[in-house]
Each structure stands twice: as structure tokens, then as C-alpha cells.
Amino acid sequence: MNLTAEQIQDNWNELMNYIEKYISSPRKEKLLEFYNQYSERIMLMPASHKKEYHNAFPGGYVEHVLRVIRCALKQYDLWASEEADMSTFKVEELVFSALNHDLGKIGDEENESYIPQTDQWRKDKLGEDYTFNSKIPFASVPDRGLFLLQRHGIFYTFNEMIAIQTHDGLYDDGNKKYLMTYLPEQKPRTCLPFILHQADLMAARIEFEREWLPKLKEGKKSVEVKKENFTLGNQAKAQNKTTKIKDKALGSIKSEGLKNMLNNL
């Protein structure tokens, strides 16, 4: 998928509007300062490095984050309608967590995390339009994101820390200590992490379907056409073989009556 320059700019404006609308001062101003400082990088970066994942194209990161925010707000209404205890966190915490859940993907203060893939074989065979920047020391996406926030003086609540840390759910084994405990006192005291995970999962799935389901459907049609052509080809070969056998048999029969009978079979 390719976004136009206008779409990329509109998505960025929408992202800034969410900060203006949902985040309170003084961290609203700090967030705006941070995002504007790295605006060009964040605006153009992909959400992942590989086509088989999601939104691996310029502008894909912001588009993904916007979808997670929208899905999170809708999940909030769903959980509330089913009488979940929504008093354990604020809507601001939900939007802040959704906004920054993948922040660690931007890299560090000097280097971006995803850079264009220069290996043509990996681009063609593995679908890697981007590769990881080896100049950046390893850190998980949540850890790097939380570090960047505190580095720039943007405080976050305990709820937001746990939500960002566990937004990948049990796809990340490191989250088992929070999400697979069987003691009531060790379970999360709020549904915020679960809402964020569901929103992120929903957004990534939608982005996968948009990119890949049309291709997979087209691939299935192509296989069916090849199969049909193969069947028709085999039928034609069989018919041709039958005709040759029939002609050979007719050639060996001297009786005109028998020839007519065999020819009409």
C-alpha cells in the first residue's frame, strides 16, 4: 500500500489532534514538543520492516497508531457496556498508552530503527523493504518507548506503564508474569492492558487483511484456473489417445459392417 503525501500529512494532523484533545497539561506540551522534534521521522516511518507483517510502508506507523487509538476508544465503550469496572483508569491513560504503545520503533535520539533494505534478494524473496539499524543497541519496543518518554521528561502512570509493557499480550513471553498469574492479588488491577492489547491486535489484523486477503484470493483463483486447464488438458490427451486406438482397431478390421459398428461407438 502507498499513502500520498496529503494522506501522510492528514494522518499526522489527526495524531496531533488526539494529543490536544485527550492529554492534559503539562505533559501535553511535552508530548507535542517531543513529537514535533521527531516529526519527519515518525511521519514517514513504517509500522514494521516486512510486508508479511503490517503497514510496512512510508507513513504506516502513524496510520497504525491512529487505528489503535480508534479501536481502543471503541473497545472502551464495549467493555463499559458489559459493565466492566471502568473506574480503575482514565480515558487519558487509554489514549496515552495507545498513542505510545509502539513508540520504541522510532529508534533512539540519533538513529531511526528501520532503514531501507539494500539487499535485493531479501527484498524480493523475504519481503523485507526495511531492515533493522545495527547502530542501535537492542531493546524491546516497549522498553525503548518507555525510556524515550522518561528521557524527555514525559511522565506516565503505573497503569500506562503496564499497558504499554504488555500491549503484545501473550505473543511476548515476557508478559506472562503479568498476564498468566493465577493469584488474584497478582493480576492487573485494571482492564486497561487488555483493552489496549485487543485494540492493537484488531488494528494489526485489519491491516494484514487489507494487504494480503486480496492477494491470497487472487492466488486461489490462479490455482483454480491452472487446475482447470490441467484437467482439460488431460481430457484432451485421453480423447486423442482413444481416437488413435480406435483408428488402429478400425484399420485391422476387414468387415465393413464391423467397421461401421465400431465407428459409431
Side-chain angles (χ1 to χ4, degrees):
M1 181 175 178
N2 293 314
L3 298 178
T4 65
E6 290 76 16
Q7 288 174 316
I8 290 174
Q9 185 62 57
D10 288 344
N11 285 343
W12 179 256
N13 293 339
E14 185 179 350
L15 194 71
M16 295 301 98
N17 287 337
Y18 274 118
I19 296 176
E20 291 279 5
K21 180 177 179 180
Y22 287 97
I23 308 302
S24 59
S25 298
R27 68 174 179 170
K28 173 172 71 175
E29 289 74 23
K30 288 185 176 293
L31 267 177
L32 290 171
E33 181 182 357
F34 172 82
Y35 274 87
N36 285 320
Q37 180 178 348
Y38 297 100
S39 60
E40 184 175 334
R41 187 196 301 186
I42 299 174
M43 198 183 300
L44 296 175
M45 65 182 280
S48 60
H49 78 290
K50 196 172 183 179
K51 292 177 181 177
E52 281 73 8
Y53 299 154
H54 63 100
N55 278 25
F57 52 80
Y61 173 82
V62 173
E63 198 210 41
H64 171 69
V65 171
L66 289 174
R67 184 170 285 105
V68 172
I69 294 173
R70 292 194 301 268
C71 290
L73 291 170
K74 292 171 183 176
Q75 287 286 343
Y76 177 93
D77 291 337
L78 176 61
W79 281 65
S81 70
E82 291 298 328
E83 300 182 356
D85 185 353
M86 312 307 282
S87 68
T88 57
F89 67 98
K90 299 176 181 178
V91 174
E92 177 177 345
E93 290 179 301
L94 176 62
V95 174
F96 181 92
S97 301
L99 172 70
N100 297 296
H101 78 282
D102 270 347
L103 186 64
K105 290 182 177 181
I106 77 167
D108 60 22
E109 292 171 306
E110 286 77 36
N111 304 286
E112 48 195 312
S113 183
Y114 298 130
I115 56 178
Q117 176 62 266
T118 57
D119 188 326
Q120 193 61 43
W121 185 89
R122 297 189 72 87
K123 290 183 69 172
D124 295 340
K125 302 300 182 182
L126 302 180
E128 294 180 1
D129 287 338
Y130 298 87
T131 188
F132 294 106
N133 191 345
S134 60
K135 293 181 180 179
I136 301 176
F138 172 77
S140 70
V141 170
D143 287 345
R144 192 184 303 281
L146 291 169
F147 172 79
L148 285 170
L149 290 171
Q150 63 86 24
R151 175 79 169 175
H152 288 263
I154 303 169
F155 70 87
Y156 43 83
T157 66
F158 182 83
N159 280 345
E160 292 164 346
M161 179 189 72
I162 298 300
I164 292 172
Q165 194 76 50
T166 63
H167 77 267
D168 280 328
L170 291 176
Y171 287 99
D172 184 344
D173 286 342
N175 295 332
K176 288 182 178 180
K177 59 183 177 291
Y178 291 109
L179 304 178
M180 283 191 66
T181 176
Y182 301 101
L183 299 175
E185 61 270 20
Q186 291 183 354
K187 292 180 181 292
R189 304 291 175 93
T190 171
C191 56
L192 172 58
F194 303 99
I195 293 176
L196 179 60
H197 172 56
Q198 290 175 0
D200 185 38
L201 188 65
M202 182 179 180
R205 176 63 196 185
I206 290 169
E207 290 154 9
F208 167 81
E209 290 188 358
R210 179 183 62 183
E211 176 74 20
W212 284 99
L213 287 192
K215 296 177 183 178
L216 294 174
K217 288 177 182 177
E218 189 61 35
K220 183 179 180 181
K221 290 180 182 177
S222 177
V223 170
E224 290 173 348
V225 169
K226 288 180 181 178
K227 184 178 180 181
E228 182 179 353
N229 290 340
F230 177 77
T231 303
L232 291 173
N234 283 348
Q235 288 175 346
K237 288 179 181 178
Q239 183 64 38
N240 187 43
K241 185 176 181 180
T242 301
T243 301
K244 287 181 178 179
I245 294 173
K246 189 175 179 181
D247 290 344
K248 185 176 181 180
L250 286 170
S252 65
I253 297 174
K254 295 180 180 180
S255 170
E256 291 298 326
L258 287 174
K259 279 187 178 181
N260 288 334
M261 288 176 60
L262 185 58
N263 196 38
N264 289 329
L265 291 177

